[in-house]
Amino acid sequence: MTDITHGSLRGQPTRAEEILAGGLRDEKRRQTRRHIAEVATGLFLERGFGQVTIAEVARTAEVSVNTVYTYFPSKEDLVCYPEEVSAQRMVQMVEDRTAGRSAAGAVLGALRGELRQGDRMVGLTQGFGRFLEMARAEPTLAARLDAIAREMVEALAAVLAAETGAAPGDPTPRLVASQLGWVQEQLFLEIGRRSREGQAPGTIAAAALALLDSVESLLGDRVLAYATR
């Protein structure tokens, strides 16, 4: 009889039980992290980012201050947390593309898919417009968002350069990545504006899809075909 099969008969967890327990712990951590972030966002929107302390976030979320810092090393991380604000966002879109699809096609396709699904990753949530306005009005948060946007473009440019075998000093990968970063920026600005106006998520998604169609028509053929897999 193996230990994996009969460990529990000796009062010890089996490998399957350990894996299940680990999965439950991970899910519990994700739930706690999201709960703290949502509580913090509500407080920031209500009173302003600079007026809310970590201690108030912890008290309102009914966790300890140490727990908040365990999940969010800085106050800014409560707004720009990696699960939803990642410099690898466009890289992942491009790396996941199917054969025959370009980098631009991958990014545009992924954004359209998120819009059609009503995904929170593209801001199709209640209060997104106010959230974006609050973040942009706070210097430290605005700086963090700008830094992430730059890192996103740089990360994508590096992937495009590697995939296409671009020569050192060739600006093309960076220029293409910058244009795709601009596409995403314009999309979020449009969604944020319509959200502040109180438009319904479905209406916002439809308008955002139309915006992507317009943006795509403005991109040159070389950009649209660049790094086709």
Side-chain angles (χ1 to χ4, degrees), residues 102-135:
S102 68
V107 172
L108 289 166
L111 292 174
R112 286 187 174 109
E114 291 174 347
L115 288 168
R116 292 183 180 116
Q117 294 165 17
D119 200 312
R120 64 181 292 117
M121 292 298 292
V122 282
L124 294 178
T125 56
Q126 186 175 8
F128 174 75
R130 290 178 57 221
F131 168 83
L132 190 60
E133 189 174 47
M134 178 272 294

Side-chain angles (χ1 to χ4, degrees), residues 3-9 11-20:
D3 287 350
I4 292 178
T5 304
H6 292 281
S8 61
L9 297 179
Q12 299 175 350
T14 65
R15 178 59 177 161
E17 289 170 336
E18 290 176 348
I19 293 173
L20 177 60

Side-chain angles (χ1 to χ4, degrees), residues 32 45 61 64 72 82 94 98 103-104 112 119 123 125 130 139-140 155 171 204 207 209-210 220 222:
T32 300
L45 288 173
S64 69
F72 304 95
V94 169
T98 57
R112 286 187 174 109
D119 200 312
T125 56
R130 290 178 57 221
T140 58
I204 295 173
L209 285 166
R222 188 177 178 192

Side-chain angles (χ1 to χ4, degrees), residues 21-39:
L24 292 174
R25 285 194 297 270
D26 288 344
E27 179 59 26
K28 177 63 174 177
R29 283 192 286 266
R30 283 191 292 270
Q31 290 177 356
T32 300
R33 183 185 182 91
R34 181 167 295 282
H35 171 64
I36 294 171
E38 289 177 348
V39 166

Side-chain angles (χ1 to χ4, degrees), residues 124-164:
L124 294 178
T125 56
Q126 186 175 8
F128 174 75
R130 290 178 57 221
F131 168 83
L132 190 60
E133 189 174 47
M134 178 272 294
R136 280 295 175 193
E138 181 63 35
T140 58
L141 290 177
R144 173 72 70 90
L145 291 173
D146 288 341
I148 291 171
R150 288 193 300 272
E151 291 167 10
M152 194 180 300
V153 168
E154 291 167 3
L156 180 57
V159 168
L160 295 179
E163 284 198 8
T164 61

